[in-house]
Amino acid sequence: MLQNNTACQIAEGIDIASLTDKELVEQISKCSTPPNKALDELANRHYTWVYRICLMRLGNPSDAEDIAQEVFVRVQKHIQQFENRSTVRTWMYRIAQNQCNTFISNNIRVVIESIEDYTEILKDIKVEVSNSKSELSEQINYALSMLPKQCRAVIDMRFFQELSLQEISNHLNIGLSAAKMRLYRAQNKFKLIYAEGSNI
């Protein structure tokens, strides 16, 4: 993770932890070179989320960590490109997707994701859909709308109704292992549709 936050001091008396993401971006823009305390704070808040996005796309923890760190390097480098029309998280999400796309283009291989990785990213997706009318939420809603009815239903039960796998199993009148497999397949379909829609 980004370290060393001694340079580019925040104005005296400002509690950096109390700043909003957009206020942090304003502070980052005032310092052209790292280290930057505002950038460190932004990374502390969102690194795990960015890492999970990269892990879902790349399937390899080491690669995901490298790309997640590169995302924050690019945040610093291209800070003037943030136009304040979307949330900072949406902007970082697009950077992460673009970095993953570049990495995949340069490293063609089979990427295998686990159900745990899908679970974490879909939890974040629920938050984005609930709290945002951004382009990101539109892409998410589009991907959900393109899913077959059965897949959309099981994702809705797990991530929006927050039913356990056992509850889903009972509701669908199928075995627990069948419920797990149905959820995995639904998430895989979601990922494929979403990846196609966000290839920008």
Side-chain angles (χ1 to χ4, degrees), residues 49-199:
W49 175 73
V50 169
Y51 169 79
R52 288 202 301 258
I53 291 168
C54 296
L55 184 61
M56 185 189 78
R57 291 294 309 279
L58 305 177
N60 180 283
S62 178
D63 293 338
E65 184 175 349
D66 289 344
I67 299 304
Q69 292 190 40
E70 180 63 22
V71 167
F72 290 97
V73 171
R74 289 191 169 265
V75 165
Q76 169 103 27
K77 184 176 180 180
H78 301 290
I79 197 71
Q80 301 302 330
Q81 294 180 11
F82 178 68
E83 298 178 345
N84 215 30
R85 292 184 295 184
S86 64
T87 66
V88 175
R89 249 166 90 112
T90 297
W91 182 58
M92 289 193 299
Y93 181 90
R94 292 172 67 86
I95 294 173
Q97 288 290 346
N98 288 336
Q99 289 303 110
C100 287
N101 290 342
T102 299
F103 181 88
I104 291 169
S105 295
N106 294 333
N107 299 272
I108 301 300
R109 65 183 182 204
V110 176
V111 178
I112 301 174
E113 298 86 355
S114 70
I115 193 168
E116 288 80 12
D117 298 332
Y118 281 126
T119 298
E120 291 303 320
I121 198 65
L122 280 167
K123 284 179 181 176
D124 286 328
I125 284 169
K126 177 186 175 182
V127 173
E128 291 291 348
V129 170
S130 299
N131 296 341
S132 175
K133 297 300 182 184
S134 65
E135 182 178 350
L136 172 57
S137 68
E138 291 176 4
Q139 292 171 351
I140 291 165
N141 280 319
Y142 170 77
L144 290 172
S145 72
M146 294 299 291
L147 286 173
K149 184 177 180 180
Q150 188 179 67
C151 293
R152 192 165 58 249
V154 73
I155 285 180
D156 178 73
M157 283 186 277
R158 182 68 184 95
F159 298 102
F160 292 87
Q161 299 180 44
E162 298 185 345
L163 300 184
S164 68
L165 283 168
Q166 186 60 61
E167 289 171 326
I168 293 172
S169 170
N170 295 340
H171 182 81
L172 297 176
N173 197 27
I174 58 177
L176 182 59
S177 61
K180 289 179 180 178
M181 182 56 66
R182 188 170 296 185
L183 178 61
Y184 179 83
R185 287 175 177 168
Q187 292 175 135
N188 191 43
K189 286 182 183 293
F190 172 88
K191 180 260 179 182
L192 292 173
I193 295 170
Y194 184 77
E196 289 178 1
S198 60
N199 247 347

Side-chain angles (χ1 to χ4, degrees), residues 5-10 30-38:
N5 55 10
T6 57
C8 296
Q9 297 295 317
I10 303 299
K30 296 176 182 178
C31 179
S32 60
T33 58
N36 185 316
K37 291 179 70 173

